[in-house]
Structures are given as C-alpha cells and as structure tokens.
Amino acid sequence: MDKLNIVIEFFSTYKLLFTVIVIVCISFLKRLVVSKIRGDLPFVTEGQRKWMSRTKNGTFIIIIMVLFLLWQTEINKFALSVTAIAIAFVVASKEIILCFTGSIQRASSRSFVIGDWIEVGKLCGEVIEHNLMATVIQEIDILHGQYNYTGKTVTFPNSMFFSYAVKNHNFMKRYVYHSFNITIVEFVNLYPLFPELIEQIEVHCEDFHDVAIRYNSIIERHAGVDLPGPEPHIQIHSGPAGEQMVHITIFCPTERAAHLEQLIREDFMIVYHETFPKKASE
C-alpha cells in the first residue's frame, strides 16, 4: 500500500511524464487493435473501415478525457486567471471549433457513413475514414462522368460541411443516370434519327435492362420521388453559337457508363452519316 501511495504521489508530482506515458500506452493499444481488425487481407472491407474508424475516434476521446481529468486543476486556474488569453485562444482556434461542430452536424444529420460516395464542393469520392477533425475520401472522377478512382486520397476539414452542401451519391455505386452531349454544328432536322438511335441504345442495354428496372424502383421507394425511369432519353438543346446539342441520358451500371457512352456516340455518327451524307462529308 505504501508503494502504491509512493507511485501515485510520484505521478502527481510529475504530471507531464505521466501524461506522456498515458498517451504512449493508449496509442500503442490503438495501433494493436487496428492491426488486429485489419488482419492480413490486401483490401479493407467497409465493416473493417467502420471498426477502425470507431477505434481511432474512441481512443482520441479517451485521451482527451484523461488529459482533462489529469490537468483539471491547472485548466481551471488558467481559465480563471487568464481570461483574455482564453478568449484569444478561442478566436485563434475558430477553425478547430468549426471542425468539431462540423463533425457533430454530420453525426446528427447522418448525411453519410463510411463506404458512401459523397460530393462536397468540388471534391467527390468514397468515404474511407472520418473523425472529429477531418474526413478522408478516395477520390472518384464523378464530375467528368468517368466514375473511376483517381488514385488520390483527399483529406478535408469537417468545417467544410458548413460551407458546402453534402451530396450523397451512394446509389451511384451500382447504377447511375449517365448524361452526355453530342454537338452538331449544322442546322438539320435530327429528330428522324432518334428512333433508330434509341433501338441501338436498347440493344446495348438489353443484358441489364431487367436489373435496371428493379434497381430504379428501389431508388424511387428509398427517395420517395418519381425518377425518370431506366429508359433512354434524348433531347435537343441550342448552344451559345446556335449549334444543336443532343443530350442523351441512360440508366446503366456505373462501371459501364463510359464504355456505353462511346458506343452510343459511334452509333450516332453512323446514323448521322447515313442520313446526311453531304453534311457529314463537308
């Protein structure tokens, strides 16, 4: 008992040393648990990512609580005696406070979870980790209609949730409404081309048509809105210089969107050349 009192008195006297020991022990325990969760698998599953994120967030909270309890007396003295410095510290740490509150806002709104595809400002990607300060995503080229991983990992502060709307593209992981334009400079009647072009599109989409219908219905029930449907849609718009913009929308598997776009562009060029041979040869 006397030895225990001596140890307690020693660590009470040397709080800084005790703080370092606590942080090192908890950090080592965190790394051990995370390594056990990850295992020897080459790829991490969504379930493993969730537990790894929970472990990191939990250990961070434990460290903060231990430091607060250990240094509570000093913190109270500091807050009471140096009010002006405390106010200056709050102003200087505005971004940190916004990150904390942004994390609370994300958790309360349940805007996304690990594994979701999200868009925040000009950043798009799959969420692989989030904590009290920042969110980490694996960047995906959604804005250019490619839906492929760019190989870049983006870490942005949670304060961005107050500046930009969070768009959840999670349903796009399997199927997507893929839209693209084909520009025609000459002013010709393009509407007679559409029936044959739609037939060609339906041929390309025939192998997944039934699955697309079911998945579209699931999205409609989940969102509670009436979506356009899995059928291809073709519209014509006018460009700034008077050119015709053929706008095509298809509902297809995400990984095949870019390939199907190239096939449809090829079909359109063939049909356009056959219908307007003189225009195409000029």
Side-chain angles (χ1 to χ4, degrees):
M1 193 67 181
D2 293 336
K3 293 182 179 180
L4 180 61
N5 292 332
I6 294 174
V7 172
I8 295 174
E9 184 179 354
F10 175 79
F11 283 120
S12 300
T13 305
Y14 299 97
K15 288 185 178 181
L16 185 59
L17 176 61
F18 183 61
T19 300
V20 174
I21 294 174
V22 169
I23 293 176
V24 170
C25 291
I26 295 178
S27 300
F28 176 78
L29 183 61
K30 178 193 71 175
R31 295 188 63 178
L32 180 63
V33 173
V34 170
S35 64
K36 289 293 184 181
I37 295 174
R38 181 180 178 87
D40 298 328
L41 298 176
F43 300 102
V44 181
T45 63
E46 290 187 14
Q48 288 175 311
R49 287 176 179 170
K50 290 180 180 179
W51 280 108
M52 290 167 64
S53 178
R54 291 168 184 167
T55 302
K56 293 177 181 179
N57 293 337
T59 53
F60 180 77
I61 293 173
I62 292 173
I63 290 175
I64 294 297
M65 293 177 61
V66 170
L67 292 179
F68 178 79
L69 294 174
L70 185 61
W71 296 91
Q72 184 176 8
T73 304
E74 287 76 6
I75 293 173
N76 290 336
K77 291 180 180 179
F78 176 80
L80 292 174
S81 60
V82 199
T83 305
I85 298 178
I87 295 174
F89 176 79
V90 171
V91 174
S93 60
K94 174 185 176 183
E95 190 68 21
I96 297 177
I97 296 174
L98 286 175
C99 289
F100 275 105
T101 52
S103 177
I104 296 173
Q105 186 269 343
R106 179 206 60 79
S108 61
S109 62
R110 297 180 181 178
S111 52
F112 62 87
V113 296
I114 290 178
D116 285 356
W117 285 13
I118 65 170
E119 177 182 347
V120 182
K122 294 184 179 180
L123 301 176
C124 304
E126 179 178 345
V127 180
I128 59 176
E129 183 181 347
H130 58 73
N131 51 49
L132 296 178
M133 295 297 296
T135 298
V136 184
I137 63 174
Q138 193 72 38
E139 190 179 49
I140 301 173
D141 191 11
I142 296 178
L143 297 179
H144 296 94
Q146 298 299 317
Y147 315 106
N148 295 322
Y149 292 98
T150 64
K152 300 177 183 178
T153 300
V154 182
T155 303
F156 60 88
N158 292 335
S159 58
M160 289 185 63
F161 297 147
F162 293 108
S163 303
Y164 301 97
V166 179
K167 300 179 182 179
N168 193 315
H169 298 292
N170 194 42
F171 79 93
M172 292 173 57
K173 292 177 69 173
R174 289 191 58 194
Y175 276 76
V176 63
Y177 285 101
H178 182 63
S179 300
F180 57 94
N181 293 322
I182 301 176
T183 304
I184 303 298
V185 179
E186 295 81 7
F187 186 80
V188 292
N189 184 12
L190 299 174
Y191 285 98
L193 279 63
F194 291 174
E196 183 176 353
L197 184 61
I198 289 178
E199 289 181 2
Q200 293 292 332
I201 296 175
E202 291 177 346
V203 170
H204 296 315
C205 302
E206 184 177 4
D207 59 320
F208 59 83
H209 181 68
D210 294 337
V211 179
I213 293 176
R214 292 196 298 270
Y215 196 74
N216 183 262
S217 301
I218 293 173
I219 297 173
E220 285 183 336
R221 289 196 299 270
H222 179 74
V225 295
D226 185 18
L227 297 176
E231 297 78 16
H233 300 275
I234 303 177
Q235 296 176 323
I236 295 180
H237 304 285
S238 297
E243 68 273 15
Q244 297 185 93
M245 309 285 291
V246 181
H247 185 76
I248 301 175
T249 301
I250 58 174
F251 188 69
C252 63
T254 304
E255 68 274 7
R256 295 177 58 182
H259 178 64
L260 289 172
E261 176 183 338
Q262 297 304 312
L263 293 178
I264 295 170
R265 287 181 181 273
E266 181 183 3
D267 293 337
F268 181 86
M269 292 178 184
I270 293 173
V271 175
Y272 180 81
H273 182 80
E274 292 175 351
T275 307
F276 307 103
K278 293 184 179 180
K279 295 289 185 181
S281 61
E282 290 179 357

